[in-house]
């Protein structure tokens, strides 16, 4: 791997935007034979993948089956999962785990059984099939992949480079079918917008959790790839389905700290402040119900009782068990004065996962040739109306592999086709802004009204109010974008407002309550499950 301070135009075989599991997997799979650039807007380690605690779902035990994993995914997805995509991911999952093992990921093993992976169980799963590295799976996987990336001479890493926009032939005014031919990116260190050219571009930019006031996501989760793909002419699908994780640590000094699903999988119970267990009254699966059910139950109990939080209790398990299975959560809680081996953990729901995204096929292709979306920025059809726990990391790897297979074939067929040089970014007619307060104010306003109006429970009136405010913000932001030099804050806000608009439009189009989308005006379930597809 090399790092670079580039001239205004750089040319590669493949551009990858994002440095989470999806992006790094694609880069490593392509790097033996192709010149690859990874662009990431912060340091390479700062994506959502590294925050994943629970693990990776795959059929590994002899008593488990692909059919059972598929069925669990379909049930969690509330009838909206694409069957072909679901079978594709489930059947490829063991191969993805084996690939990570080969790379050296130190998965947890059964005590006293060297070589036998320890499998845990999470909500919505009918069997133990979660392969993990204690309670820090994402961090361990990311660390392993980053080390491999750094060893590759064909991968160039551009840290602190923020995607400005995709470059398409339509935007350039060229005739023929629209195609993605590159992108513009802001170098945060120099404040210069650079031009990157490639016949293939993979968006692996993650989700859009930062559109909400409370989220388990890192600050990077601003929907950049989804918004850029929309502006490039791609369809988006199922954007109304935002998964709220039921158990985010509730503490003033614990920003976005997630309490993994596996705590409930290992016997953790949800309690009201007076110690009453409440989940059995909401669902026969109790704490092991899918996330949407648990999040709505917590939201209901908090609003009913006027509570700031509820409590997750696993103190009935021995201290050694807790330290072995949840060492990072135990240590972090202890830092904050909470001994989870003796006392319950205060938790609240928070925006966690964007189930919708850029519409793709089984090769991760979007509707714009040359452009691909992988991971949380994509809508493959796997998650339907609600993602099953620990299906996301394996989706990253499966579709990264399928995308790279297609790209490799395309590069081989078109090896002799010369590329026309792209125009560099022109900012000669804009000035520096002296009104940055507009950006911070609009950012705060957006996240607050999205939390209030487009959260766990929705109504037509709330959605109308959100749509009205989004329209006002879009006008202000576009004027800002047209007249001033771009900054990372402006670009992220522009993308967040665009994604918020897509979420609200999708929610308004769904006249039922299904999975993660719950409407008081349409509490029933329609007979037929139909994806929500928006086109530019």
């Amino acid at each position: 791997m090399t790092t670079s301070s580039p001239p205004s135009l750089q040319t590669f075989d493949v551009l990858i935007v994002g440095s989470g599991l999806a992006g790094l997997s694609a880069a490593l799979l392509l790097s033996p034979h192709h010149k690859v650039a990874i662009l990431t807007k912060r340091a390479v380690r700062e994506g959502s993948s590294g925050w994943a605690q629970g693990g990776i779902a795959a059929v590994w035990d002899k008593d488990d089956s692909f059919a059972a994993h598929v069925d669990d995914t379909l049930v969690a997805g509330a009838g909206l999962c694409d069957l072909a995509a679901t079978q594709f991911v489930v059947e490829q999952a063991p191969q993805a785990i084996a690939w990570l093992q080969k790379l050296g990921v130190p998965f947890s093993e059964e005590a006293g059984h060297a070589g036998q992976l320890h499998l845990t169980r999470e909500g919505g799963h009918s069997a133990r099939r979660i392969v993990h590295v204690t309670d820090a799976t994402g961090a361990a996987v990311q660390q392993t992949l980053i080390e491999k990336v750094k060893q590759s001479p064909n991968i160039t890493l551009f840290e602190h480079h923020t995607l400005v926009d995709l470059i398409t032939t339509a935007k350039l005014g060229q005739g023929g079918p629209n195609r993605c031919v590159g992108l513009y990116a802001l170098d945060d260190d120099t404040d210069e917008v650079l031009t990157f050219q490639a016949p293939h571009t993979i968006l692996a930019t993650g989700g859009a959790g930062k559109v909400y006031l409370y989220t388990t996501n890192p600050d990077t989760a601003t929907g950049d790839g989804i918004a850029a793909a929309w502006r490039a002419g791609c369809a988006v699908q199922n954007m109304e389905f935002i998964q709220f994780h039921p158990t985010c640590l509730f503490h003033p000094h614990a920003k976005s700290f997630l309490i993994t699903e596996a705590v409930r999988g290992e016997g953790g119970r949800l309690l009201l402040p007076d110690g009453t267990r409440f989940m059995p009254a909401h669902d026969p699966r109790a704490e092991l119900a899918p996330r949407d059910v648990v999040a709505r139950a917590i939201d209901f109990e908090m609003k009913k009782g006027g509570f700031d939080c509820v409590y997750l209790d696993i103190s009935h398990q021995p201290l050694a068990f807790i330290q072995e299975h949840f060492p990072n959560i135990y240590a972090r809680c202890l830092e904050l004065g909470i001994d989870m081996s003796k006392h319950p953990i205060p938790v609240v729901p928070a925006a966690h996962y964007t189930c919708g995204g850029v519409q793709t096929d089984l090769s991760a292709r979007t509707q714009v040739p040359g452009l691909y979306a992988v991971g949380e920025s994509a809508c493959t059809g796997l998650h339907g109306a609600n993602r099953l726990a620990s299906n996301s990391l394996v989706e990253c790897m499966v579709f990264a592999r399928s995308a790279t297979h297609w790209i490799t074939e395309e590069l081989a067929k078109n090896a002799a086709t010369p590329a026309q040089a792209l125009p560099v970014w022109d900012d000669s007619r804009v000035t520096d802004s002296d009104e940055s307060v507009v950006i911070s104010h609009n950012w705060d306003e957006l996240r607050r009204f999205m939390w209030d109006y487009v959260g766990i429970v929705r109504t037509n009136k709330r959605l109308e109010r959100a749509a009205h405010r989004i329209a006002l913000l879009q006008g202000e932001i576009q004027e800002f974008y047209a007249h001033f030099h771009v900054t990372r804050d402006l670009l992220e806000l522009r993308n967040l407002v665009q994604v918020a608009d897509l979420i609200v439009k999708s929610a308004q189009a769904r006249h039922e309550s299904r999975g993660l989308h719950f409407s008081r005006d349409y509490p029933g379930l329609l007979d037929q499950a139909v994806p929500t597809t928006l086109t530019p």
Side-chain angles (χ1 to χ4, degrees), residues 372-429:
Y372 309 78
V374 180
E376 196 173 351
S377 59
C379 182
T380 65
L382 171 66
H383 305 307
N386 182 24
R387 177 178 70 96
L388 181 64
S390 291
N391 266 357
S392 53
L393 293 183
V394 72
E395 181 192 36
C396 289
M397 291 183 289
V398 168
F399 281 97
R401 182 174 295 275
S402 64
T404 57
H405 283 166
W406 176 267
I407 289 170
T408 298
E409 292 178 2
E410 289 294 295
L411 287 170
K413 286 191 294 186
N414 300 292
T417 305
Q420 182 178 345
L422 300 180
V424 298
W425 182 260
D426 180 12
D427 60 359
S428 60
R429 290 170 289 182

Side-chain angles (χ1 to χ4, degrees), residues 492-509:
E492 288 182 333
L493 177 61
R494 180 181 182 232
N495 292 331
L496 279 175
V497 172
Q498 180 60 76
V499 170
D501 182 56
L502 295 172
I503 293 170
V504 170
K505 281 185 167 61
S506 297
Q508 288 177 317

Side-chain angles (χ1 to χ4, degrees), residues 141-225:
V141 172
Q142 281 292 93
Q143 179 60 36
T144 301
L145 267 60
I146 289 169
E147 290 175 0
K148 296 296 183 182
V149 162
K150 288 181 177 179
Q151 296 168 11
S152 173
N154 279 346
I155 299 175
T156 306
L157 177 64
F158 297 91
E159 294 182 301
H160 305 288
H161 281 67
T162 302
L163 174 64
V164 176
D165 237 340
L166 297 166
I167 305 172
T168 65
T169 54
K171 290 181 180 179
L172 295 175
Q174 298 177 4
N178 189 26
R179 181 178 180 86
C180 183
V181 290
L183 59 85
Y184 294 115
L186 173 67
D187 183 341
D188 290 338
D189 294 330
T190 65
D191 288 331
E192 181 184 2
V193 176
L194 308 172
T195 307
F196 290 83
Q197 183 165 0
H200 300 278
T201 298
I202 299 174
L203 297 172
T205 53
K210 294 298 286 186
V211 79
Y212 287 98
L213 184 61
Y214 301 110
T215 178
T216 63
N217 290 183
D219 291 340
T220 54
T222 53
D224 302 341

